[in-house]
Every structure is written in structure tokens, then in C-alpha cells.
């Protein structure tokens, strides 16, 4: 595939790219691993605008670092209270401004569809840094890259996604990302009230991705190559729902004794109480490596998309 097949494109959902394009992004991420500390000048003179209407540690900092490591510059806001949003300026007008200043826009927003709307307004690429409860495509790129790095391929792996599958966009987005791969066995582990949305399940069925829904994490642990843990999304549910759901599944080091030798525990982070510190010291913990992979992955994505 010529490198510029992705040039100038938006990245709103993980299904916006083909399997072939995913592989090209992963190969470039492998190359970028060599430049995460020293940097390159691949995007010298380009500016990235980061518009974060919701909090972020990893996504914003890794995007900004990625652009700086590629020789470009960064502007934007980490908190909409420091922008004219507080005066009532619309999302579309805010995006128009960033479009005229930068070469790409990274947008995080509470409302589902915000990134798609921004892409209809802007000329430069819009990269969805998470909107609503369904899409977080750069997290999914990072997750798939982590699995590929660990097992050589995502094809044929057995994966469990655990926790709040209804409100966690990283979980829904990973479900959609796995539709690109062959012979994946997927376990969706959650209490009844936090099950994956029907819309996401319909898309997986259409793509013939095999999945099983269960609430029995103990039974699933010995069967999988990767256990992807999520937190209960306190900010997206009522306090009563939160109290009912919190701590639904806490993964302990003892539970992992029944896991395959090479099984990895992943988490999109931040973790709250679902992975206690003791798990950090097991051979299974990969969540910090996973977060670190976000840098070469985002360097790769920017280098492909930005003109
Ligand atoms: N995983 C993730 O999106 O982390 P942040 O919310 O810190 O960006």
C-alpha cells in the first residue's frame, strides 16, 4: 500500500480503516518505536490542534508528544473552560478556528457523533480522541498493536473484555476493531446491567466475529490470551447505578494463577479499584506497556494522516 493512502483522511471510528491500512499503521508504529525518545523531523512545520472537551492524561499527552517528536508543534486546550465554549461558542465554530490554524485536529467530546460533525466542518484531518460511549479509535489502534506485539498477530487470539461494557468506549471500540481479524474468540464479561450495546453486537454479528456474553470471569480467565479490564464509568451513570456496579469484578493476583502462562492483562487506564497494585507485580500485567505503545502508534497515525 502506498504510504499516502491515508493522507488527509479523518479517523473517526476504527472501522474507517481497512485491515491493510491497519497493518501499514502497525508497521510504521514499529519503525516509530526507534524514535520515541530521539524524534524525527517527518512533520516539521506542521501544527496539531488538540481540543479536549473531556479530561485526559494518556490520549492528549501522547498525541502532543507524538507531534513534538515528529518535529511539529502543538496548540489547543485541555479544558474547555479555558476556551470560548464557556461564552456559548458552538463546537462547529471552535473546530472552524482550529481548522484554519493547524494541519490536523484531535478532538475529545462527551457527545457521540461530535468527531463526525467536526469532520464535516473541517478541511484538515479530524482524529477522534474519544466521543460518547462507542468510539475511541486511537485507543483501539494501541490495544490491537499491543496484542500483535505480544502474540505476533491478532488473528486466532482469544480475548476477554471485562467490566462496564455498556458505557466504556474503549471496550465498544475494541469490539469493532476485532472485526478486522480472523478466528478471534471474544468473551464479553459483565454484569447484566453493563452489557455491550446492541448496536455494537449487531456490527460484530454482521462481521461474523464470534462472541460469548457471560458474567463468570473465573471460568473465562484460563481460556484467554488477553484479559482486557475496564473501569465502571462513574461519569456516565447515576450515583445509584455506580454504587450497584462498582467493584463488579476485581482481578486479583490469586485469580490469575489459573491463567495461561503468557496471558496478558490489559486496561485502557485509568484504573480505579478493578486491578489492585499486587497485579502489577505478576508476569501478566501489560497495561503500562500498552499505554506506552500509544506514543509510537500515534506518531504512526499522524505521520500517515497529516499532509
Ligand atoms: N485510555 C485513555 O483514553 O486515557 P485518557 O482518558 O487518560 O486519555
Amino acid at each position: 500500500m502506498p504510504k499516502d493512502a491515508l493522507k488527509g483522511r479523518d479517523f473517526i471510528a476504527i472501522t474507517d480503516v481497512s485491515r491493510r491500512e491497519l497493518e501499514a499503521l502497525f508497521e510504521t508504529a514499529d519503525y516509530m518505536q526507534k524514535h520515541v525518545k530521539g524524534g524525527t523531523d517527518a512533520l516539521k512545520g506542521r501544527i496539531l490542534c488538540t481540543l479536549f472537551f473531556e479530561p485526559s492524561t494518556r490520549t492528549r499527552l501522547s498525541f502532543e508528544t507524538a507531534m513534538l517528536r515528529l518535529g511539529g508543534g502543538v496548540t489547543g486546550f485541555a479544558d474547555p473552560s479555558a476556551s470560548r465554549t464557556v461564552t456559548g461558542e458552538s463546537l462547529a465554530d471552535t473546530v472552524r478556528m482550529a481548522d484554519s490554524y493547524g494541519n490536523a485536529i484531535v478532538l475529545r467530546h462527551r457527545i457521540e457523533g461530535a468527531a463526525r460533525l467536526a469532520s464535516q466542518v473541517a478541511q484538515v484531518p479530524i482524529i477522534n480522541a474519544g466521543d460518547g460511549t462507542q468510539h475511541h479509535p486511537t485507543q483501539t489502534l494501541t490495544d490491537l498493536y499491543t496484542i500483535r506485539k505480544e502474540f505476533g498477530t491478532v488473528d486466532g487470539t482469544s480475548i476477554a473484555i471485562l467490566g462496564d461494557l455498556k458505557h466504556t468506549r474503549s471496550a465498544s471500540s475494541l469490539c469493532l476493531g476485532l472485526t478486522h481479524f480472523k478466528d478471534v474468540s471474544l468473551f464479553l464479561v459483565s454484569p447484566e446491567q453493563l452489557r455491550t450495546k446492541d448496536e455494537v453486537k449487531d456490527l460484530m454479528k454482521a462481521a461474523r466475529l464470534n462472541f460469548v456474553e457471560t458474567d463468570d470471569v473465573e471460568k473465562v480467565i484460563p481460556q484467554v490470551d488477553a484479559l482486557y479490564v475496564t473501569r465502571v464509568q462513574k461519569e456516565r451513570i447515576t450515583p445509584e447505578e455506580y454504587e450497584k456496579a462498582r467493584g463488579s469484578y476485581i482481578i486479583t493476583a490469586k485469580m490469575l494463577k489459573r491463567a495461561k502462562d503468557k496471558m496478558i492483562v490489559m486496561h485502557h487506564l485509568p484504573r480505579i479499584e478493578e486491578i489492585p497494585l499486587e497485579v502489577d507485580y505478576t508476569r501478566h500485567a501489560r497495561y503500562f506497556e500498552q499505554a506506552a505503545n500509544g506514543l509510537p502508534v500515534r506518531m504512526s497515525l499522524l505521520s500517515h494522516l497529516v499532509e
Side-chain angles (χ1 to χ4, degrees):
M1 190 187 70
K3 188 179 176 189
D4 63 0
L6 287 159
K7 217 41 116 191
R9 295 243 301 265
D10 300 310
F11 191 46
I12 310 298
I14 193 69
T15 44
D16 287 352
V17 291
S18 66
R19 168 74 188 260
R20 203 154 168 236
E21 288 165 343
L22 273 182
E23 296 296 346
L25 286 163
F26 294 153
E27 279 165 28
T28 306
D30 287 340
Y31 166 78
M32 291 298 177
Q33 291 272 7
K34 299 190 223 26
H35 298 287
V36 292
K37 293 295 181 194
T40 78
D41 59 2
L43 293 181
K44 191 163 179 239
R46 312 298 199 287
I47 300 283
L48 181 69
C49 295
T50 54
L51 309 182
F52 276 69
F53 290 85
E54 281 193 321
S56 168
T57 297
R58 281 145 290 274
T59 312
R60 187 175 66 83
L61 296 184
S62 62
F63 259 119
E64 294 188 355
T65 307
M67 194 56 169
L68 295 170
R69 291 291 190 209
L70 291 166
V74 178
T75 188
F77 53 81
D79 180 348
S81 69
S83 80
R84 282 299 187 188
T85 301
V86 289
T87 319
E89 186 162 43
S90 69
L91 172 65
D93 283 2
T94 306
V95 168
R96 279 188 185 97
M97 296 305 101
D99 186 38
S100 62
Y101 304 145
N103 300 92
I105 298 170
V106 175
L107 175 76
R108 171 169 286 191
H109 206 284
R110 183 178 58 83
I111 297 173
E112 197 136 337
R116 191 71 72 191
L117 180 140
S119 73
Q120 286 156 6
V121 172
Q123 304 299 309
V124 300
I126 295 286
I127 301 171
N128 187 357
D131 66 351
T133 58
Q134 195 150 317
H135 297 294
H136 193 352
T138 67
Q139 177 66 50
T140 304
L141 265 189
T142 302
D143 298 341
L144 295 172
Y145 181 71
T146 301
I147 296 167
R148 172 189 175 271
K149 220 173 140 183
E150 201 69 36
F151 301 106
T153 176
V154 180
D155 291 325
T157 54
S158 177
I159 299 184
I161 311 178
L162 169 75
D164 181 355
L165 308 187
K166 184 175 178 184
H167 304 102
T168 305
R169 55 193 171 208
S170 301
S172 293
S173 187
L174 180 55
C175 287
L176 298 178
L178 290 171
T179 64
H180 286 292
F181 296 91
K182 292 194 196 96
D183 304 322
V184 170
S185 302
L186 177 61
F187 296 89
L188 299 172
V189 189
S190 71
E192 185 77 35
Q193 73 273 22
L194 298 178
R195 290 252 156 108
T196 303
K197 292 191 291 183
D198 286 343
E199 190 184 336
V200 175
K201 285 192 274 193
D202 289 345
L203 290 166
M204 288 193 288
K205 282 177 198 161
R208 297 176 190 278
L209 169 61
N210 287 321
F211 66 90
V212 174
E213 291 185 288
T214 174
D215 57 8
D216 190 346
V217 66
E218 301 267 9
K219 202 166 163 188
V220 164
I221 284 175
Q223 301 183 56
V224 295
D225 301 307
L227 177 65
Y228 190 103
V229 185
T230 68
R231 72 183 168 91
V232 177
Q233 301 273 307
K234 187 178 185 181
E235 66 275 34
R236 301 187 204 283
I237 57 178
T238 63
E240 295 73 37
E241 284 175 317
Y242 180 68
E243 281 312 314
K244 201 170 160 197
R246 68 188 291 236
S248 291
Y249 298 104
I250 294 177
I251 298 303
T252 61
K254 187 173 170 212
M255 287 162 83
L256 296 177
K257 287 195 189 306
R258 296 185 57 237
K260 292 182 191 176
D261 258 12
K262 294 193 170 166
M263 189 271 260
I264 59 170
V265 177
M266 302 173 71
H267 194 302
H268 53 105
L269 302 179
R271 63 164 158 185
I272 310 299
E273 56 194 354
E274 58 283 352
I275 300 183
L277 287 181
E278 62 180 24
V279 176
D280 298 3
Y281 304 101
T282 69
R283 66 181 180 282
H284 304 291
R286 285 300 181 283
Y287 24 93
F288 295 123
E289 287 86 346
Q290 179 187 355
N293 286 336
L295 179 56
V297 163
R298 291 181 174 106
M299 287 173 76
S300 164
L301 184 68
L302 291 173
S303 74
H304 278 274
L305 298 186
V306 177
E307 308 213 64

